[in-house]
């Protein structure tokens, strides 16, 4: 079996990235995995124009995980406010729970810590996603207590099915990084 490999995405990957991210979070196909937001949100999960900007900006990388040339997972890792930022984390629903996501998170943390010398990794999650937050807590992330309103009315983030959505910031120190 081929090993998992990582590479930065390029603009030609945008259609496949949009399809992967959508499959992990929206619609019935997302229900195959445990990361689905199908009961919380409709609409798009990622905006292709935002994705294109993230691919092109400095200290920002859309990371792709592949096996045998097939895209299995992706995530966005970037520098924001002197810390690493981890987002857009998506694993093909039929592969969730098989270790691909853990490997992707570890690679994103390595980039922030070793390549960019950042002391901390942060992420934003919907605060009612207890199972997802528990996944990150098992990997050393902690709730910061910082909550932000969900951007109701901005369809780039999806169309909410509930009125109680908020974002919460999680954070993890990246040991070995320069301060």
């Amino acid at each position: 079996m081929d090993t998992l490999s990582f590479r930065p995405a390029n603009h030609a990957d945008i259609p496949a990235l949009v399809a992967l991210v959508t499959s992990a979070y929206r619609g019935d196909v997302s229900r195959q995995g445990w990361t689905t937001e199908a009961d919380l949100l409709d609409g798009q999960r990622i905006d292709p124009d935002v994705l294109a900007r993230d691919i092109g900006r400095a200290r920002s990388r859309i990371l792709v995980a592949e096996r045998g040339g097939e895209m299995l997972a992706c995530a966005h890792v970037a520098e924001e406010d002197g810390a690493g930022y981890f987002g857009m984390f998506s694993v093909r629903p039929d592969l969730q729970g098989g270790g691909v996501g853990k490997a992707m998170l570890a690679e994103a943390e390595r980039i922030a810590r070793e390549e960019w010398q950042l002391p901390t990794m942060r992420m934003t999650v919907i605060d009612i996603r207890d199972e997802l937050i528990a996944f990150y807590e098992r990997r050393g992330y902690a709730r910061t207590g910082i909550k932000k309103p969900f951007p109701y009315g901005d369809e780039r983030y999806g169309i909410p099915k509930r009125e109680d959505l908020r974002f919460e910031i999680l954070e993890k120190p990246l040991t070995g990084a320069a301060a």
Side-chain angles (χ1 to χ4, degrees):
M1 184 155 147
D2 292 333
T3 60
L4 196 62
S5 63
F6 299 97
R7 68 172 176 84
N10 59 56
H11 287 88
D13 292 316
I14 290 175
L17 289 165
V18 169
L20 173 61
V21 173
T22 301
S23 75
Y25 292 98
R26 300 288 194 268
D28 287 336
V29 71
S30 72
R31 294 179 194 281
Q32 293 176 33
W34 65 275
T35 62
T36 185
E37 295 173 345
D39 294 328
L40 305 175
L41 298 154
D42 274 331
Q44 73 177 15
R45 178 58 164 78
I46 184 64
D47 182 85
D49 293 333
V50 170
L51 192 52
R53 283 193 299 275
D54 288 338
I55 288 172
R57 72 179 163 107
R59 308 268 287 188
S60 171
R61 187 175 304 169
I62 304 300
L63 188 61
V64 172
E66 296 178 320
R67 185 175 287 133
E70 183 180 3
M71 187 181 294
L72 307 180
C74 66
H76 181 211
V77 61
E79 181 178 358
E80 291 186 1
D81 300 323
Y85 172 78
F86 182 75
M88 199 187 73
F89 186 26
S90 304
V91 177
R92 234 177 54 189
D94 61 325
L95 298 176
Q96 292 177 13
V100 173
K102 291 175 194 163
M104 172 64 80
L105 180 59
E107 177 64 6
E109 290 172 355
R110 186 200 65 74
I111 290 166
R113 180 183 60 251
E114 295 177 14
E115 293 184 26
W116 298 341
Q117 299 293 298
L118 298 172
T120 306
M121 184 72 92
R122 293 186 187 124
M123 65 180 68
T124 303
V125 297
I126 296 173
D127 70 345
I128 59 174
R129 304 274 329 269
D130 295 329
E131 186 177 5
L132 183 61
I133 291 169
F135 170 84
Y136 290 123
E137 287 175 331
R138 289 190 301 273
R139 278 141 198 89
Y141 287 82
R143 295 174 185 251
T144 63
I146 300 169
K147 297 197 179 196
K148 297 181 178 183
F150 187 86
Y152 286 92
D154 186 343
E155 291 189 10
R156 291 178 302 168
Y157 295 92
I159 302 166
K161 295 181 175 183
R162 300 172 55 144
E163 295 181 11
D164 62 344
L165 302 179
R166 293 183 302 177
F167 289 133
E168 183 166 4
I169 309 299
L170 304 181
E171 186 173 276
K172 175 183 179 177
L174 298 174
T175 56

